[in-house]
Amino acid sequence: MSALPNALALRRADSIERLWLLGLVTPAMLLIVITMVLPVGWLFYLSLLSDTGAYTTEHYVRMWEQPSYMRTFRATFEVSIMTTAICLVIGYPLAYFLSELPKRAANLCMIAVLLPLWTSLLVRTYAWLVLLQRKGLINNWAIELGLWSEPIALVHNMLGTLIGTVHVMLPFLILPLYASMRAIDRNYLRAAANLGASPMKTFWSVFFPLAMPGMATGALIVFILCLGFYVTPAVLGGGKVIMVSSRIANDIEIFFNWGAASALGVVLLVMTALLIWIFMKLLKISNPMSQVVKS
Amino acid sequence: MKNASLPISIEKITKKYGSTYALDHVDLEIKSGEFLTLLGPSGSGKTTLLTVLAGFTRPDGGSVKFGGTEMVCVPPHQRDVGMVFQNYALFPHMSVAENVAYPLKIRGVKGLEAQERVERSLEMVRLGGYGKRGIDQLSGGQKQRVALARAMVFEPRIMLMDEPLSALDKQLREHMQIELRQLHEKLGMTTVYVTHDQREALTMSDRIAVINFGKIMQLDTPRAIYERPLNKFVAEFIGESTFVPVHIENGIAQFANFSFKTLHNDSRHGAALLMLRPERLKVLRDQDNLNTQFNEFSGQLVHLVYQGDSSLLEVKLPNDLLVQVRMPSVELQNHQNLQAGALLRLAVSVQDTVVLSAEGGTS
């Protein structure tokens, strides 16, 4: 070993390469520590402080005791689950259609799917408000066409909230789902047919399980983004649908209660992390983003 | 466990993509239990014909009958034919046993019987005990065998194979060729095999259909295809060959001042092509004398390439026409005069003097 020529120089070259790699990730690591780890730690610390600055668990106890908090959490989960479900119902066939198109056509259609993401979230949300309100475009036209006679409440309720959230979230579902469908070798489907499976059976026994990772990833992303969604539910829900994020904003802007807001933030964070963990255990996905990266 | 097999009858099958014919009024009768190979270059239409048989491609018109029953409008899942795909198409989310059991499950075969048939099928391809493995734990050759086991576990009477060996390395490929052929002899199902590898086609088939431009150029036994090609395309595509432009009169082909007796005493006249297979040409020594069963001609040796089992000689005939001669390397020692520039006497038997029409049937 010691007799090998150049052994030392070669080993040094190895360590220099490793140092370079380490140097490349340092900025990102620093950024994560400064913008994520420190604030979350600070949040947790704040949630344990009372108005006077003494340590207390009152914010957590209040969340448990006051039914209005329970309602907030329930509304948050309702909106998130419904949005995810509706996105799946709308997005699955669309992603399938896209994955069957020739690559060029599919790329063009994909731009259409992604177009909303290039527009400001606020603009999109207020645009929906214009369309959906009592004297909005949709109600006016429907009444003129005789579809219904009185304006229908399309906004400032659960319906309006869901219309908005589904619209915003849909691309996040379609993107990974499309990628994983596109990656399915069509020969699998031919093989299934050749072995005697009807188109329906082929779909459920071959296509659906193979597209599962993309679907799970998309659904998880939508669900988690919904849990912390603020702007769209706040505007289109009009105070009727109060989600955790709205409540946090209220606590800070109206009541200046940083402790209560922080406690809500901490609970939301813990719940989200827990859900991701359970989800990944159930579906045996090691990394929810792996599907997106792979394509 | 020899299965009943079915004959296949293909009539006027036509498929156009734009203005080009992928299949141009193809007629083909495949006998029950036969191993027939569709051989052709890429884009010749051979795979399209196979996918028409499997039901994946709808032809523009024509008829496909399995044992007398019209199948051309029947969807693929009701055709009951086995198929081995080029990249195997094994379901990655299922184990080996689940893959093989898939067609049984669909046919309602369950429990112990299904298990036994899966195991028997795996043993047939010498993968007994591999059932619990995942697909990505298998080597290329093993995947190939699983695909085969899956295709034959439901005892189809027709088996389709789309270049099943093309992804394997040379040694394994040659081994699998023999194994596939033995399996076919054991099971006896009508087999349609697609390949672009002429050696594979010659090794395995009862008959070969050489395809180009969506047409069958020749349909015959491997030996007849190799020794009596009907046209220039078949002669060029299968084996090595040199073409010599000749003039035919009264069964004698004339080139420069050499004349070649031909076997078929056809009444053809005028321009034609003489096909010479390099390994069928003999280099004569000074003392060699020929009987009338041989045609003799001569040329100048350009160079000799040693290739191990054989050596390739390039010989210049009159009109600067180059002819290749393949000589077993053991014979090199019998010849003294093999330097570049030497004059060589060559001979070809009348049997191997094949004359093709000058048009060649292609290009």
Side-chain angles (χ1 to χ4, degrees):
Chain A
M1 187 68 185
S2 58
L4 280 178
N6 298 323
L8 205 69
L10 289 169
R11 223 172 19 243
R12 194 176 302 137
D14 260 359
S15 10
I16 287 172
E17 240 166 60
R18 264 199 296 277
L19 273 176
W20 262 107
L21 222 55
L22 202 68
L24 286 173
V25 297
T26 308
M29 299 271 261
L30 279 176
L31 196 71
I32 287 171
V33 169
I34 293 168
T35 61
M36 285 289 299
V37 179
L38 292 181
V40 167
W42 183 242
L43 203 69
F44 186 63
Y45 170 69
L46 278 181
S47 74
L48 294 172
L49 290 185
S50 70
D51 293 345
T52 54
Y55 284 109
T56 173
T57 54
E58 59 171 304
H59 303 304
Y60 291 99
V61 173
R62 188 170 53 230
M63 240 185 283
W64 183 251
E65 284 173 347
Q66 278 194 20
S68 73
Y69 277 98
M70 265 334 212
R71 276 202 300 277
T72 303
F73 275 107
R74 195 197 296 148
T76 306
F77 276 91
E78 255 172 36
V79 168
S80 302
I81 290 169
M82 293 287 281
T83 304
T84 310
I86 297 170
C87 277
L88 276 173
V89 170
I90 299 175
Y92 201 97
L94 181 58
Y96 176 72
F97 170 75
L98 289 176
S99 75
E100 286 287 312
L101 284 179
K103 201 111 200 192
R104 276 176 71 95
N107 283 342
L108 270 174
C109 292
M110 214 57 202
I111 292 176
V113 170
L114 294 178
L115 210 58
L117 288 183
W118 302 351
T119 326
S120 148
L121 178 64
L122 218 53
V123 171
R124 273 180 289 159
T125 303
Y126 278 106
W128 274 116
L129 198 59
V130 172
L131 286 176
L132 297 174
Q133 62 194 321
R134 250 184 102 72
K135 299 230 160 124
L137 221 51
I138 290 178
N139 266 322
N140 280 349
W141 282 0
I143 289 167
E144 247 170 69
L145 290 169
L147 292 177
W148 54 77
S149 51
E150 286 290 304
I152 289 180
L154 294 170
V155 79
H156 298 318
N157 55 15
M158 192 57 133
L159 180 65
T161 308
L162 287 178
I163 291 174
T165 50
V166 166
H167 175 230
V168 173
M169 291 300 164
L170 201 51
F172 295 107
L173 179 90
I174 290 176
L175 223 52
L177 186 53
Y178 165 77
S180 110
M181 284 178 174
R182 187 105 223 170
I184 297 173
D185 184 349
R186 290 307 188 263
N187 268 339
Y188 293 143
L189 311 181
R190 285 176 151 203
N194 171 257
L195 295 168
S198 64
M200 205 54 159
K201 179 86 189 158
T202 300
F203 175 79
W204 286 113
S205 65
V206 179
F207 190 85
F208 187 78
L210 288 178
M212 190 63 195
M215 186 179 120
T217 305
L220 189 65
I221 292 174
V222 168
F223 187 76
I224 286 164
L225 286 177
C226 273
L227 283 180
F229 208 177
Y230 174 56
V231 175
T232 302
V235 173
L236 296 177
K240 299 264 174 41
V241 182
I242 298 171
M243 293 182 47
V244 176
S245 48
S246 305
R247 188 108 193 197
I248 293 175
N250 285 348
D251 277 342
I252 292 171
E253 286 166 9
I254 303 173
F255 304 111
F256 302 106
N257 192 341
W258 281 87
S262 302
L264 270 170
V266 168
V267 171
L268 187 62
L269 186 70
V270 169
M271 281 176 130
T272 309
L274 212 67
L275 270 168
I276 294 179
W277 184 76
I278 291 171
F279 205 75
M280 293 196 325
K281 279 282 163 218
L282 277 179
L283 289 162
K284 301 187 181 77
I285 305 172
S286 51
N287 174 3
M289 293 310 281
S290 62
Q291 280 302 309
V292 185
V293 175
K294 213 163 66 183
S295 53
Chain B
M1 67 170 276
K2 204 157 184 151
N3 303 325
S5 59
L6 285 177
I8 303 172
S9 169
I10 298 166
E11 220 177 291
K12 291 204 182 67
I13 282 292
T14 301
K15 177 75 185 173
K16 257 176 131 174
Y17 289 113
S19 62
T20 53
Y21 280 101
L23 294 171
D24 188 356
H25 299 82
V26 173
D27 294 317
L28 182 58
E29 294 287 333
I30 304 167
K31 291 174 222 150
S32 182
E34 184 174 26
F35 195 117
L36 182 123
T37 298
L38 304 175
L39 174 67
S42 57
S44 60
K46 56 187 194 304
T47 302
T48 311
L49 186 55
L50 196 78
T51 56
V52 166
L53 291 179
F56 302 138
T57 303
R58 276 197 201 104
D60 300 335
S63 156
V64 172
K65 288 190 182 125
F66 294 167
T69 316
E70 183 58 66
M71 296 305 271
V72 81
C73 294
V74 176
H77 66 277
Q78 288 165 7
R79 292 205 179 191
D80 224 26
V81 297
M83 179 154 176
V84 178
F85 289 80
Q86 188 167 9
N87 297 316
Y88 320 129
L90 296 172
F91 304 130
H93 59 300
M94 298 181 195
S95 70
V96 168
E98 283 168 333
N99 262 284
V100 179
Y102 187 84
L104 296 179
K105 213 169 99 190
I106 279 163
R107 285 167 177 75
V109 182
K110 280 191 254 165
L112 209 62
E113 192 199 341
Q115 259 177 40
E116 275 171 17
R117 281 175 71 174
V118 167
E119 197 50 39
R120 215 185 318 144
S121 204
L122 283 173
E123 267 160 25
M124 191 90 75
V125 293
R126 301 197 285 128
L127 281 179
Y130 276 68
K132 288 213 173 63
R133 300 258 182 124
I135 294 306
D136 50 6
Q137 289 171 278
L138 301 177
S139 70
Q142 288 171 334
K143 281 184 194 166
Q144 217 287 319
R145 287 155 199 254
V146 175
L148 200 61
R150 187 179 68 175
M152 61 188 196
V153 70
F154 61 104
E155 295 172 9
R157 291 181 287 181
I158 289 170
M159 179 71 86
L160 309 174
M161 300 198 187
D162 182 13
E163 310 215 15
L165 305 181
S166 62
L168 305 180
D169 61 62
K170 186 167 175 289
Q171 221 171 348
L172 193 56
R173 195 161 63 226
E174 281 168 5
H175 174 76
M176 284 302 293
Q177 284 170 4
I178 294 164
E179 210 166 293
L180 273 182
R181 188 60 229 211
Q182 283 171 346
L183 258 175
H184 173 257
E185 254 138 53
K186 209 187 306 180
L187 299 174
M189 43 198 143
T190 310
T191 302
V192 183
Y193 189 98
V194 163
T195 185
H196 64 267
D197 183 336
Q198 39 137 331
R199 185 161 294 281
E200 197 167 290
L202 293 171
T203 307
M204 303 179 73
S205 326
D206 293 325
R207 283 194 303 165
I208 298 173
V210 184
I211 297 189
N212 198 31
F213 299 117
K215 286 190 204 138
I216 294 181
M217 310 302 288
Q218 187 170 359
L219 171 67
D220 220 324
T221 61
R223 187 157 181 198
I225 292 262
Y226 187 80
E227 294 184 358
R228 297 268 168 267
L230 280 183
N231 47 52
K232 192 179 173 201
F233 174 79
V234 175
E236 250 177 344
F237 192 69
I238 296 173
E240 300 166 308
S241 48
T242 312
F243 297 98
V244 181
V246 291
H247 185 85
I248 294 211
E249 220 167 314
N250 302 325
I252 304 286
Q254 199 73 35
F255 169 70
N257 48 353
F258 307 120
S259 43
F260 297 86
K261 273 178 282 181
T262 64
L263 190 65
H264 18 245
N265 24 353
D266 49 39
S267 51
R268 258 189 296 196
H269 267 309
L273 285 176
L274 173 65
M275 180 197 78
L276 298 173
R277 295 276 192 215
E279 82 285 357
R280 302 275 165 122
L281 297 182
K282 225 174 130 54
V283 179
L284 301 176
R285 292 167 298 176
D286 293 339
Q287 65 269 34
D288 288 335
N289 277 314
L290 291 173
N291 59 29
T292 53
Q293 286 312 299
F294 282 89
N295 294 311
E296 187 180 335
F297 57 109
S298 60
Q300 205 175 29
L301 180 61
V302 181
H303 58 223
L304 181 152
V305 184
Y306 179 79
Q307 292 178 331
D309 56 347
S310 66
S311 297
L312 194 67
L313 289 73
E314 221 162 23
V315 179
K316 192 153 79 178
L317 301 190
N319 302 344
D320 283 343
L321 192 91
L322 287 173
V323 167
Q324 294 191 324
V325 182
R326 189 169 287 285
M327 176 196 280
S329 292
V330 283
E331 281 181 23
L332 284 175
Q333 57 193 348
N334 301 333
H335 297 268
Q336 270 87 51
N337 190 21
L338 289 178
Q339 294 83 22
L343 192 71
L344 293 187
R345 286 169 64 208
L346 301 172
V348 59
S349 81
V350 175
Q351 291 277 346
D352 294 324
T353 306
V354 177
V355 175
L356 309 167
S357 68
E359 294 83 47
T362 57
S363 77

